[in-house]
Amino acid sequence: MDRLYEKNCDYKTLSPLTLAFIGDGVYDLLIREQLVCKMNCQVGKLHKMKVEKVCCKAQAELIEKIIPMLTEEEFLVYKRGRNAHTNHTPKNASNADYHNSTGFESLIGYIYLKGDMKRLKEIFSMIEKI
């Protein structure tokens, strides 16, 4: 297991929205690290570039492109997240994009809490190539 917080976590029993909660933070950190390592510029510019990559629409587009590369287990986690019932829809996203991005974040959270950094890096590498 390889995570920042190393206490046990029963990731298999967590709700898809809980997985999305952690996945959102993990993906945000990955994007921030990517941007900072690629360039040294004003924080405002970094933030603007980060928002473009972490928004619902961008995540929905990414998941559609990487679905064929997911394992069966990963695809099921994505579907659980995508199909989760929420009481919230952001004002700047369609329902379809919001649900797809929630599925994407659930997947990222699941892989992270599972402690599979190798797979998380593989998926992020796929994303960087898109």
Side-chain angles (χ1 to χ4, degrees):
M1 180 181 302
D2 195 12
R3 296 192 341 249
L4 294 172
Y5 183 75
E6 296 181 353
K7 300 285 185 195
N8 286 339
C9 178
D10 192 3
Y11 60 93
K12 289 184 178 183
T13 63
L14 295 175
S15 78
L17 295 178
T18 301
L19 293 172
F21 173 76
I22 191 73
D24 177 51
V26 170
Y27 187 65
D28 188 85
L29 179 60
L30 285 168
I31 292 297
R32 286 172 185 250
E33 184 175 352
Q34 175 196 48
L35 292 171
V36 166
C37 290
K38 284 186 175 182
M39 64 195 74
N40 183 14
C41 64
Q42 296 172 340
V43 174
K45 288 181 182 178
L46 289 170
H47 177 72
K48 184 177 179 183
M49 289 184 281
K50 188 265 309 181
V51 168
E52 289 174 7
K53 293 183 175 212
V54 179
C55 70
C56 287
K57 185 172 175 53
Q59 290 177 350
E61 290 172 3
L62 286 174
I63 192 65
E64 291 296 327
K65 292 176 182 172
I66 67 169
I67 282 175
M69 297 169 255
L70 299 179
T71 66
E72 184 178 341
E73 175 187 11
E74 291 167 348
F75 182 67
L76 292 174
V77 170
Y78 157 72
K79 277 180 46 176
R80 280 183 53 224
R82 182 196 65 196
N83 296 335
H85 296 289
T86 62
N87 296 325
H88 172 70
T89 303
K91 53 188 164 193
N92 298 323
S94 70
N95 277 336
D97 283 351
Y98 181 70
H99 287 285
N100 282 325
S101 68
T102 301
F104 172 77
E105 291 172 346
S106 295
L107 172 66
I108 298 298
Y110 182 84
I111 293 169
Y112 174 77
L113 290 175
K114 187 177 180 181
D116 193 350
M117 288 301 164
K118 180 180 177 194
R119 183 60 177 158
L120 190 60
K121 289 176 184 178
E122 286 172 1
I123 289 176
F124 194 68
S125 178
M126 287 180 224
I127 289 167
E128 282 187 301
K129 292 175 185 171
I130 295 173

